[in-house]
Amino acid sequence: MKGNLTQKIIQGGTDLTVEVIAIGGYEEVGKNMTAVKVGEEVIIFDMGIHLDRISIHEDTDIDRMHSLDLIERGVIPDDTLMKDVDGKVKAIVFSHGHLDHIGAVAKLAHRYDAPIIATPYTIALIERTIKGERKFSVSNPLRNLNPGGKLQLSKDITLEFVQSTHSIPQAVLPALHTREGVVLYANDFKFDNHQKISPPPDYNRLRELGKKGVLSLIVETTRANEFHEVKTYSERVAKIILEDLMKQPLKEKAGMIVTTFSSHVERVQAIADIAKTSDRHIFFLGRSMERYCGIAENFGILDLPDNASVYGSPKAVTKALNKAEDNREEYLLVTTGHQGEPDALLPRIASGRTPFTVRPGDNVIISAPIIPNPTNKANRHMMERRLISSGARIYSNAHVSGHAGREDHRDFIRMLKPKHIIPAHGELEMLAAYGELAEEEGYRIGNNVHILRNGQAQVFNEGF
């Protein structure tokens, strides 16, 4: 493994060893992949992509690219280290359907003789990804496990999906039950009690797991260093913000565009609910809108009104934009491109590369934050300047996060009382910030808080 760095903790107990192997997502936000070895058996969690390493957004097609090239570019996890792991992979488990968790499944899963396990909505997204793959043939069995469900993977390992909430439907916290205790994989989550689509997190079950004994918590750190936003607000707050912003523009005789994450089905539902009583027809536009929303509709997760249509193919999107150009006051366009990605729809509208042109008085609502990296900041700034120079009025960052805030994490630690904590899904600054938070709760970095880098491992040897 990288640097040949394997840390060990020796404790009295049984003869079963539990090892956590950091494959991807321990030096960056994204590219998530972790392996947990229990005795001689291995469970893999997530196979994601690093969105920042190439010009990529929710519509990007990497189907024709080779895995080795993507590994070299840092786009997908370098799982070649798994050749040195002496154990049988029993399952590949996915926590939810975002690209930074499932985006590499078609590039990597075929290397393992193991089933792919996820919630039904996530399985449907994975199946769509696999069907689009052009380089590799992926024949791993696909198995559904509902939130709250359990599945025995072997004599020594049982998988449980604990109900959670995030910014995509059917996000779960996978828990591995072993003789040494529970290993809980918490990438990604928030504590939201007021979503329309998803039920609240199963707090009672989390407390029960804490009482049973959590050996290790593997946990996201994406907002651990944001001291000014210590608790994440509910999606209900985002809906109120959108209602206030959309109410007047929906009545105006001008064009109107809303852009958000196409995978954020709860947000898409809120936009549709707000606009359904207006006189405008709602066009959801873009390949990823069609993918995430179409599957959600098929599962009965998303309920679009009669005045809504979803168009994904370039030809269908162009036709819809032609309609809206001629009678803009009759349509609400919901598009991809909130980060200003050059080839996404809203940036192309802003730069005059579509049949729909922005005119003075048009309204644009951006229901997404800038994902913090220099490329996104530059792209978003350029897009907004172009929209403003065309006369549009911009309402930026109408959003609440899908990730737990610092005080949510404190509550999480207190619920679970994990013996060990492994911060994940972040750059070193984020991992260290989570370590500082854990130290406030009585843990110690280097003792029972373990900061790993990609390619390193943490071994819990002989007992809980």
Side-chain angles (χ1 to χ4, degrees):
M1 293 179 202
K2 179 178 172 183
N4 207 20
L5 293 174
T6 299
Q7 305 170 11
K8 293 190 177 182
I9 292 179
I10 309 298
Q11 303 170 2
T14 70
D15 59 355
L16 192 66
T17 297
V18 177
E19 180 177 0
V20 176
I21 304 162
I23 305 173
Y26 293 81
E27 298 177 6
E28 59 276 303
V29 176
K31 204 170 75 174
N32 294 286
M33 186 172 178
T34 300
V36 177
K37 184 182 177 187
V38 182
E40 300 303 316
E41 298 173 326
V42 179
I43 309 300
I44 292 174
F45 289 112
D46 289 344
M47 292 176 169
I49 60 177
H50 191 327
L51 298 173
D52 299 345
R53 286 301 174 94
I54 56 175
S55 180
I56 193 166
H57 53 84
E58 289 175 305
D59 278 347
T60 296
D61 184 359
I62 62 170
D63 300 336
R64 299 183 185 279
M65 300 179 71
H66 197 282
S67 59
L68 294 179
D69 182 40
L70 292 168
I71 287 172
E72 185 177 349
R73 295 189 190 194
V75 178
I76 67 175
D78 184 359
D79 72 332
T80 57
L81 63 86
M82 289 297 291
K83 296 176 182 177
D84 299 324
V85 176
D86 185 17
K88 166 66 176 173
V89 176
K90 302 294 291 185
I92 306 169
V93 179
F94 291 90
S95 56
H96 63 283
H98 280 145
L99 288 177
D100 55 341
H101 296 261
I102 71 167
V105 61
K107 303 298 181 182
L108 302 178
H110 66 280
R111 303 181 187 183
Y112 306 95
D113 181 19
I116 292 169
I117 303 171
T119 57
Y121 180 68
T122 305
I123 283 289
L125 292 170
I126 289 170
E127 191 171 22
R128 178 77 67 90
T129 300
I130 289 172
K131 285 182 177 177
E133 176 61 23
R134 294 293 177 266
K135 281 288 184 182
F136 302 103
S137 176
V138 181
S139 57
N140 304 63
L142 303 179
R143 299 188 66 174
N144 290 313
L145 183 62
N146 288 315
K150 292 183 179 179
L151 181 64
Q152 187 161 351
L153 301 179
S154 71
K155 177 174 64 72
D156 294 319
I157 307 172
T158 298
L159 171 66
E160 177 182 2
F161 277 174
V162 181
Q163 172 66 48
S164 183
T165 49
H166 185 35
S167 53
I168 191 171
Q170 296 187 6
V172 293
L173 304 176
L176 292 183
H177 295 263
T178 79
R179 296 203 309 268
E180 303 303 298
V182 175
V183 178
L184 188 72
Y185 181 77
N187 285 1
D188 299 316
F189 73 99
K190 68 182 291 189
F191 291 152
D192 195 334
N193 303 319
H194 305 289
Q195 290 195 9
K196 179 176 181 178
I197 287 173
S198 301
D202 193 342
Y203 301 109
N204 289 335
R205 184 55 181 158
L206 292 172
R207 293 188 184 97
E208 288 172 359
L209 293 178
K211 292 176 182 177
K212 180 177 180 180
V214 176
L215 172 62
S216 180
L217 169 63
I218 305 164
V219 60
E220 67 149 306
T221 64
T222 51
R223 301 187 73 215
N225 62 343
E226 295 186 19
F227 293 93
H228 59 291
E229 294 186 46
V230 295
K231 190 167 180 63
T232 301
Y233 295 125
S234 168
E235 264 301 303
R236 185 165 66 177
V237 174
K239 184 174 182 180
I240 292 171
I241 293 170
L242 283 168
E243 285 175 336
D244 284 345
L245 294 180
M246 292 174 64
K247 183 177 179 180
Q248 183 57 38
L250 283 170
K251 298 176 182 178
E252 294 177 4
K253 300 295 184 182
M256 185 174 178
I257 302 172
V258 179
T259 183
T260 191
F261 297 94
S262 53
S263 59
H264 203 327
V265 178
E266 181 84 21
R267 189 73 52 80
V268 169
Q269 183 70 67
I271 293 166
D273 288 346
I274 295 165
K276 70 181 179 182
T277 57
S278 74
D279 294 329
R280 294 178 183 253
H281 196 93
I282 312 165
F283 283 168
F284 292 94
L285 304 175
R287 281 199 310 137
S288 59
M289 282 287 179
E290 184 180 52
R291 177 169 66 249
Y292 287 105
C293 296
I295 292 174
E297 271 198 295
N298 291 340
F299 275 93
I301 296 170
L302 178 64
D303 182 19
L304 292 180
D306 292 338
N307 63 331
S309 302
V310 183
Y311 300 106
S313 71
K315 184 176 180 180
V317 169
T318 297
K319 187 175 180 180
L321 291 174
N322 273 314
K323 286 184 180 179
E325 172 70 10
D326 295 335
N327 301 284
R328 62 190 51 231
E329 71 278 5
E330 297 179 8
Y331 297 93
L332 167 64
L333 307 182
V334 184
T335 74
T336 58
H338 45 81
Q339 296 304 304
E341 314 95 319
D343 292 328
L345 184 54
L346 183 55
R348 289 193 289 115
I349 291 173
S351 59
R353 291 183 288 148
T354 72
F356 185 89
T357 56
V358 176
R359 298 177 187 172
D362 287 349
N363 296 283
V364 179
I365 297 174
I366 303 176
S367 186
I370 299 176
I371 298 173
N373 68 65
T375 300
N376 284 345
K377 290 177 181 178
N379 286 339
R380 175 84 162 252
H381 176 76
M382 180 64 70
M383 178 184 74
E384 291 189 12
R385 296 314 305 171
R386 284 171 173 164
L387 290 168
I388 291 170
S389 67
S390 297
R393 189 174 185 182
I394 306 294
Y395 303 86
S396 188
N397 200 21
H399 181 68
V400 300
S401 177
H403 296 270
R406 191 172 175 85
E407 292 305 308
D408 297 312
H409 281 290
R410 193 185 307 278
D411 290 337
F412 198 44
I413 291 171
R414 292 179 180 182
M415 284 181 209
L416 294 170
K417 302 177 179 65
K419 193 169 184 74
H420 298 276
I421 296 175
I422 298 179
H425 200 348
E427 299 168 354
L428 181 58
E429 179 185 10
M430 299 173 183
L431 307 186
Y434 202 99
E436 292 175 3
L437 170 63
E439 288 202 331
E440 293 172 10
E441 293 299 306
Y443 294 81
R444 288 293 177 266
I445 296 175
N447 179 18
N448 46 17
V449 177
H450 312 284
I451 308 296
L452 302 181
R453 314 303 283 147
N454 294 339
Q456 295 181 354
Q458 178 67 48
V459 178
F460 307 102
N461 194 12
E462 295 190 357
F464 175 64

